[in-house]
Amino acid sequence: MAATSKNAVSALNQLAVKGRAPKTGYARNLFSDGWGESAGCDTRNRILQRDLMQINLDSDGCTVVSGVLHDPYTGKTINFVRGVGTSLAVQIDHVVPVSDAWQKGAQKLSAASRYNFYNDPLNLIAIDGPTNGSKSDSDAASWLPPNKSYRCAYVARQVAVKRKYGLWVTAAEKQAIANVLAVCPKQKLPKG
């Protein structure tokens, strides 16, 4: 990796710019039929363990039963409690949405690469559930986190994911990301 590519602005300028491909043939299960698993723990619980504070685990040593999320997208503090009526308060967001990825190059990735994209911690973050719902499959041209102080880190993560998987950006998306990075030109790409 070249030194300049660790900078989000430089990495953004290395991404291909193309139009959005059709959503034809898209199905979420073409990426994964659920969360992946490693060492007996699924990806969702690994991300909850990474992103929550004051975590309590089930006796299996994996399942997060409660914790506190300092949500980067909204700035809110959310008390997470696992359960039928409560788990949706904290959801795992694909920073680069799966449908968006499909329309920007993932349809040409191998099944293994799509699975890796779906379960990649670089592309996953625990956030406020309703905010995840409002984001849906939007790219940076149509949605940014309400918490403006997190936007630089957010778009840098999108750039890092797109770079890692060879996905492209639309012209409007590139401009939206560039506008955010204009206030933080030294923003580094996240590791992962």
Side-chain angles (χ1 to χ4, degrees):
M1 184 183 309
T4 58
S5 65
K6 293 181 183 176
N7 176 285
V9 173
S10 297
L12 173 64
N13 289 326
Q14 294 170 4
L15 295 178
V17 178
K18 300 181 186 181
R20 185 183 294 272
K23 203 170 172 178
T24 308
Y26 168 74
R28 197 171 182 94
N29 66 3
L30 292 172
F31 287 79
S32 186
D33 61 358
W35 293 116
E37 190 173 301
S38 65
C41 193
D42 66 55
T43 303
R44 174 181 165 75
N45 280 291
R46 293 241 182 253
I47 300 302
L48 290 173
Q49 288 175 28
R50 181 193 71 190
D51 294 351
L52 272 61
M53 310 291 285
Q54 301 171 11
I55 297 168
N56 291 305
L57 297 177
D58 198 3
S59 59
D60 64 6
C62 170
T63 306
V64 176
V65 294
S66 66
V68 176
L69 174 68
H70 299 293
D71 178 34
Y73 286 11
T74 64
K76 296 190 301 190
T77 298
I78 302 167
N79 292 314
F80 170 78
V81 178
R82 181 180 172 83
V84 174
T86 57
S87 285
L88 290 177
V90 173
Q91 296 178 14
I92 307 301
D93 179 42
H94 284 90
V95 177
V96 173
V98 179
S99 170
D100 180 65
W102 180 263
Q103 296 171 77
K104 295 175 183 166
Q107 74 276 23
K108 294 182 179 179
L109 295 176
S110 68
S113 291
R114 287 194 304 266
Y115 177 88
N116 291 339
F117 168 89
Y118 190 91
N119 288 282
D120 189 340
L122 178 63
N123 193 32
L124 300 172
I125 188 167
I127 65 158
D128 171 64
T131 302
N132 190 35
S134 72
K135 176 189 172 187
S136 186
D137 62 355
S138 300
D139 65 19
S142 54
W143 190 92
L144 290 168
N147 179 9
K148 291 181 180 179
S149 68
Y150 188 70
R151 288 181 177 177
C152 288
Y154 174 77
V155 298
R157 187 170 291 270
Q158 285 191 322
V159 169
V161 170
K162 289 198 172 212
R163 182 172 175 266
K164 182 174 182 178
Y165 290 95
L167 306 177
W168 66 77
V169 291
T170 64
E173 179 184 12
K174 181 177 181 178
Q175 187 60 57
I177 292 171
N179 290 346
V180 171
L181 293 175
V183 300
C184 50
K186 295 184 180 187
Q187 178 72 41
K188 301 289 184 200
L189 291 179
K191 295 180 181 182

